[in-house]
Amino acid sequence: MKAVPHAPVKRFRQLAFLLSLSFILFSCASVPVTERRGLHLVPDSELTTMSYQEYNNVLKKSKLSTDMAKVSMVRRVGQRIATASEQLLVEKGHGDDIRNYKWEFNLIEDDKTVNAWCMPGGKVAVYTGLLPIAQDENGLAVVMGHEVAHAIAKHGNERMSQGLLAQFGAIGLSVALAGNPGVTSDIFMQAYGVGAQVGFLLPYSRIQESEADHIGLILMAKAGYDPRGAVVLWQRMNAKGGAHPPEFLSTHPAPESRIRNIESLIPEAMQVYKAR
Ligand SMILES: [Zn+2]
């Protein structure tokens, strides 16, 4: 026999459902430039706190480059991309999104690792293995623009929110988040924990990747770097593939379709580049 819930229990469930629904609806915010709506359940302050801790862990475990010419190149490109993203977000009415970012750019000495990433809060790492493929500042701006784009589009928050939703369902989620801070830090480590491995554990989705390509092109153009360099950068990255593809390719596959997509976005980015 099917148990019929008592009226108060039923009312409680309805209320809980409505509360979680409104919680989720209010947690949807649009992504700058593409205006796609994404699910952002984790409070930004919580995310940046975890991010700063993990970033410091990575720096402690890594050997930082002492090649000052290269380190200053990474910081120069990073700062120009950061300034461009602040300008872009203010123009798009999203200025508050990254007002609390504490930008930091470090070059990790590791020639075998072709990778770069940006954690929420503006914490960026570039590995020395990326530099030969980047070739110059413009090439580096392609990759850093793309990585910073993931952060300002809050893709990490979205990825964590999807994980939380899958784990707890719509009803249990608001309760789980409110009552147990460990829940979000576990999901954060799944998404960003660098641990013994290098780089991100979970790749971004295809939608997030093409969104980061799009926003990244606008950022580099706004920062004064020629967006046409993105096509050749990705071709060089692909050419590095083969039997031992770089880490960057394992989370950023660059098939022909992706390069074609980037080509189709170049005219828009060139307008931004020329309008500076
Ligand atoms: Zn990406």
Side-chain angles (χ1 to χ4, degrees), residues 8-168:
V9 175
K10 213 170 155 187
R11 266 205 301 279
F12 172 77
R13 283 190 188 161
Q14 281 167 345
L15 187 66
F17 180 72
L18 284 175
L19 274 176
S20 350
L21 202 64
S22 56
F23 173 65
I24 286 172
L25 285 176
F26 278 114
S27 307
C28 281
S30 65
V31 172
V33 180
T34 64
E35 297 305 329
R36 180 178 65 86
R37 292 188 79 78
L39 182 65
H40 306 132
L41 298 174
V42 186
D44 280 337
S45 55
E46 204 173 316
L47 199 53
T48 43
T49 305
M50 291 186 284
S51 179
Y52 296 163
Q53 272 173 9
E54 182 58 13
Y55 190 67
N56 285 336
N57 284 341
V58 175
L59 295 188
K60 254 183 249 160
K61 283 183 204 154
S62 312
K63 184 170 181 273
L64 296 182
S65 171
T66 50
D67 183 332
M68 282 328 282
K70 287 177 182 163
V71 172
S72 3
M73 177 173 82
V74 166
R75 297 207 165 129
R76 190 166 54 242
V77 175
Q79 198 47 61
R80 280 170 68 172
I81 297 280
T83 306
S85 42
E86 283 163 3
Q87 287 166 348
L88 181 75
L89 290 189
V90 168
E91 283 165 22
K92 300 281 177 190
H94 286 266
D96 285 338
D97 286 13
I98 59 168
R99 221 178 281 288
N100 61 349
Y101 267 39
K102 295 192 176 78
W103 296 101
E104 201 175 331
F105 310 94
N106 281 293
L107 179 63
I108 293 174
E109 182 73 55
D110 182 350
D111 290 341
K112 288 203 175 73
T113 300
V114 180
N115 211 359
W117 41 259
C118 175
M119 284 185 187
K123 302 296 186 186
V124 178
V126 173
Y127 294 80
T128 50
L130 178 70
L131 299 182
I133 293 179
Q135 278 186 1
D136 53 21
E137 270 193 45
N138 207 83
L140 189 56
V142 176
V143 179
M144 291 180 86
H146 176 98
E147 293 305 321
V148 166
H150 276 308
I152 67 170
K154 303 189 180 204
H155 286 163
N157 198 334
E158 187 177 24
R159 197 167 41 161
M160 288 173 67
S161 303
Q162 285 158 352
L164 287 164
L165 206 54
Q167 195 170 327
F168 294 98

Side-chain angles (χ1 to χ4, degrees), residues 216-227 269-270 272-273 276:
L217 283 177
I218 304 292
L219 289 180
M220 73 178 292
K222 223 174 166 47
Y225 296 107
D226 188 338
M270 281 306 285
V272 176
Y273 183 58
R276 289 180 69 253

